[in-house]
Amino acid sequence: FLLGLQFFLSARPLMTGVLVRNGAVELCELSSKAWLKNAPRGAYTTARTYGPRSVFEWGFHVERMATSIRAMSASAPAAIIDPQQLAPRMKHECAAAMRELSQRGLAPEHQRLTVLIAWGDQSQGEFDVYTYAEPLPPLPAPPIIVEVRGAPRVNPLAKDSEWVRARDPLLQLKAPNCEEIILAGEDGALLEGASTNFYAVVGDTLYTAGEGVLMGTVRKLVLEVCAREGVPVVLEAPNLATLSSWQGAMVSSTSRLLLPVNEVVVPKPDHRADEQDRRMQFDTSCGLARQLADWVAKEVEANSEALF
């Protein structure tokens, strides 16, 4: 009997998170990425907690969710396009998922929350709120390598779950040691990553796109830190043509915070990267990129809001 039980337990997929739909816990044996790829299309956001009760830039997540829904559909239910109506519902759902993760003993100090809102018939006002809670993964270890490939998103103002499926061909081409794909316009403008905001350091100035991208929560904090510390900022997408003049590059996202880049690789279109590709390397142990990353990491707690 014990051997049979041991085999049964070992054969089951390891549960790494919990899924809550409209306040009720649902069985899900997929990772958050696999679940989102297979879930109904909708607007989504990914948040990080600070401790077991607080969420980093909570208000920004609510506002951006409502903005994404409005950008995706003019006929979505009023309850999810008005941030004031949406906030208590999102708060209830996220708190339920955070508590459930803790009760199962799966929650470390910080969690990652993926919230998806999918809607149906406007006349019925139907919509579903899904929240996937899981332990926040550790920061990626250097060297941090990014590849420049692919075109900008069609609707950058919306965090549309369809993009999770559409970007798959790009992600399948990237090298195993590549952390992120940076999307480039026809003019060489490097607008954003597949799941990040992108920055370049030129001299003592930070360059990052001011339009045509999804504004991330960490990007918001980066710009606030730059204003406080007197770091010049140009809201203009870094251009691939000036790569050799950069002193550094960075990506930012919920899981990565602000992450200095060690190497930018420019593969040939529709090909995997090889040693003949154009490359630019940076020292991430010092300089403005490292200083900004350290400043941002220290501000997470102060910019988090308790949900319960």
Side-chain angles (χ1 to χ4, degrees):
F1 172 78
L2 291 177
L3 287 175
L5 178 61
Q6 184 178 13
F7 173 79
F8 171 75
L9 292 175
S10 64
R12 297 184 66 193
L14 180 64
M15 298 293 289
T16 58
V18 298
L19 176 64
V20 172
R21 176 186 181 188
N22 299 333
V25 178
E26 293 196 345
L27 178 64
C28 182
E29 295 180 339
L30 299 174
S31 67
S32 58
K33 290 183 179 179
W35 163 75
L36 188 58
K37 192 182 297 184
N38 289 279
R41 183 179 181 180
Y44 78 103
T45 191
T46 304
R48 68 184 290 139
T49 73
Y50 186 86
R53 299 173 181 269
S54 300
V55 174
F56 172 64
E57 290 289 355
W58 170 250
F60 188 99
H61 281 290
V62 175
E63 290 281 349
R64 190 176 64 183
M65 180 69 87
T67 298
S68 292
I69 295 170
R70 290 195 299 269
M72 290 172 63
S73 172
S75 60
I80 56 176
I81 61 174
D82 177 6
Q84 290 188 332
Q85 295 185 60
L86 179 59
R89 177 63 183 275
M90 279 184 60
K91 185 175 184 178
H92 173 78
E93 300 291 331
C94 288
M98 292 164 69
R99 288 192 182 100
E100 182 68 22
L101 194 70
S102 295
Q103 289 170 5
R104 294 192 184 193
L106 298 174
E109 183 180 4
H110 308 303
Q111 302 176 25
R112 179 167 63 185
L113 306 174
T114 302
V115 184
L116 170 70
I117 298 181
W119 55 95
D121 186 352
Q122 181 200 17
S123 64
Q124 302 297 320
E126 298 172 345
F127 64 93
D128 291 308
V129 181
Y130 302 81
T131 304
Y132 191 110
E134 62 189 320
L136 183 72
L139 290 175
I144 304 303
I145 300 171
V146 301
E147 294 179 1
V148 177
R149 60 168 81 246
R153 293 182 301 125
V154 175
N155 187 2
L157 295 182
K159 199 166 176 67
D160 184 346
S161 64
E162 183 61 28
W163 172 242
V164 177
R165 292 176 278 272
R167 70 190 181 193
D168 246 6
L170 296 176
L171 299 181
Q172 289 172 8
L173 279 175
K174 75 182 183 73
N177 64 346
C178 174
E179 175 64 27
E180 175 65 312
I181 297 297
I182 307 301
L183 308 173
E186 292 183 357
D187 60 353
L190 303 180
L191 295 168
E192 60 183 347
S195 61
T196 61
N197 286 119
F198 182 70
Y199 315 79
V201 176
V202 184
D204 63 350
T205 300
L206 184 73
Y207 282 74
T208 190
E211 58 183 12
V213 299
L214 184 74
M215 309 302 183
T217 54
V218 179
R219 178 186 181 277
K220 174 178 178 290
L221 180 56
V222 170
L223 297 182
E224 291 172 352
V225 166
C226 286
R228 184 191 70 197
E229 300 295 336
V231 177
V233 174
V234 175
L235 295 179
E236 178 182 304
N239 197 287
L240 194 57
T242 65
L243 177 61
S244 61
S245 67
W246 300 0
Q247 280 69 55
M250 294 161 286
V251 293
S252 69
S253 71
T254 291
S255 299
R256 302 172 181 89
L257 290 179
L258 184 62
L259 190 64
V261 170
N262 294 91
E263 185 174 39
V264 176
V265 182
V266 189
K268 292 178 284 295
D270 301 321
H271 287 74
R272 294 189 181 277
D274 59 41
E275 293 303 318
Q276 283 69 50
D277 290 328
R278 181 183 179 191
R279 296 169 182 264
M280 185 70 182
Q281 295 181 337
F282 305 103
D283 179 3
T284 61
S285 64
C286 58
L288 181 58
R290 170 51 53 196
Q291 182 65 77
L292 284 170
D294 292 343
W295 280 334
V296 166
K298 293 176 182 177
E299 295 296 321
V300 173
E301 180 179 10
N303 288 271
S304 298
E305 178 181 334
L307 298 196
F308 59 95

